[in-house]
Amino acid sequence: MTLRDVCFHIAKILDEASIKATLTGGAAATIYAPDAISSQDADFILSFSGDSKAAHDALTNAGYSLRNGMYESNKHPFTVEFPRGPLAIGSTNEPIETIEISEGDSRLSLLSVTDCIKDRLAGYYAWDDPNSLRQAIAVAKANADLIELPRLRKWSEAEDRIDSSMRALTKFQRFVNRLDS
């Protein structure tokens, strides 16, 4: 199974249990740029915090086991996590756009391309994580016709105002420069 297969499989398990969740992080980036990014885990944010027990029950009934806060399967090497919600990116309260894609009879909710890039940039801004920058660039290059660069700049400006020590605008410019190279 590929990570994409696992994400759709988990989405189907959750959907059958009437649980709404959104794929984020490196796994969402892998969906958008599979040739450039290879995450080893799938992070789903549950729409309602009360769904965590139901999600646990659904995954364990499907053969997953919980170890160190991650769900594992003996059928693939990927882990599944449910980071604490609500769905948020960075420090701003800007609305987050999600999309839904289908494959067979499974539907997967994930961050929009632009919000996936914001999510990866947030890691780069906060922790100087070069892997997050690399992922943001890969997603942007693979989906150049879908990204909203002015929206990314505006969000980066807001992040910089909230915490100028992150140097979000300087880092955003580095991101833009790397897109052109």
Side-chain angles (χ1 to χ4, degrees), residues 66-95:
L66 180 63
R67 187 175 316 162
N68 298 322
M70 297 177 282
Y71 291 88
E72 300 174 340
S73 171
N74 61 5
K75 296 179 182 173
H76 58 77
F78 307 104
T79 58
V80 179
E81 297 178 62
F82 296 99
R84 187 179 186 120
L87 186 60
I89 300 172
S91 302
T92 63
N93 290 326
E94 183 177 309

Side-chain angles (χ1 to χ4, degrees), residues 19-22 45-49 51 86:
I19 300 167
K20 298 207 180 304
T22 302
I45 304 294
L46 300 172
S47 295
F48 302 102
S49 60
D51 284 342

Side-chain angles (χ1 to χ4, degrees), residues 10 21 32 46-47 55 66 80 84 86 101 103 138 152 173:
I10 296 299
Y32 286 119
L46 300 172
S47 295
L66 180 63
V80 179
R84 187 179 186 120
I101 56 176
E103 194 167 274
L152 287 170
Q173 193 55 54

Side-chain angles (χ1 to χ4, degrees), residues 6-152:
V6 170
C7 291
F8 275 97
H9 177 69
I10 296 299
K12 185 173 182 174
I13 291 169
L14 296 174
D15 188 50
E16 288 172 351
S18 299
I19 300 167
K20 298 207 180 304
T22 302
L23 181 68
T24 66
T30 300
I31 298 290
Y32 286 119
D35 295 334
I37 302 170
S38 179
S39 182
Q40 294 302 307
D41 70 322
D43 295 331
F44 286 88
I45 304 294
L46 300 172
S47 295
F48 302 102
S49 60
D51 284 342
S52 43
K53 177 160 179 8
H56 171 79
D57 292 347
L59 263 66
T60 55
N61 289 339
Y64 285 80
S65 58
L66 180 63
R67 187 175 316 162
N68 298 322
M70 297 177 282
Y71 291 88
E72 300 174 340
S73 171
N74 61 5
K75 296 179 182 173
H76 58 77
F78 307 104
T79 58
V80 179
E81 297 178 62
F82 296 99
R84 187 179 186 120
L87 186 60
I89 300 172
S91 302
T92 63
N93 290 326
E94 183 177 309
I96 297 171
E97 292 180 16
T98 61
I99 66 162
E100 192 173 273
I101 56 176
S102 297
E103 194 167 274
D105 60 350
S106 297
R107 294 183 318 263
L108 176 65
S109 173
L110 70 159
L111 297 174
S112 68
V113 170
T114 298
D115 281 343
C116 179
I117 294 167
K118 282 173 32 183
D119 179 58
R120 301 294 74 211
L121 286 175
Y124 173 52
Y125 294 171
W127 304 297
D128 290 319
D129 178 19
N131 192 46
S132 292
L133 174 61
R134 184 182 63 77
Q135 291 176 349
I137 292 166
V139 171
K141 285 185 173 184
N143 299 276
D145 56 329
L146 298 175
I147 65 169
E148 301 171 47
L149 212 51
R151 190 168 147 231
L152 287 170

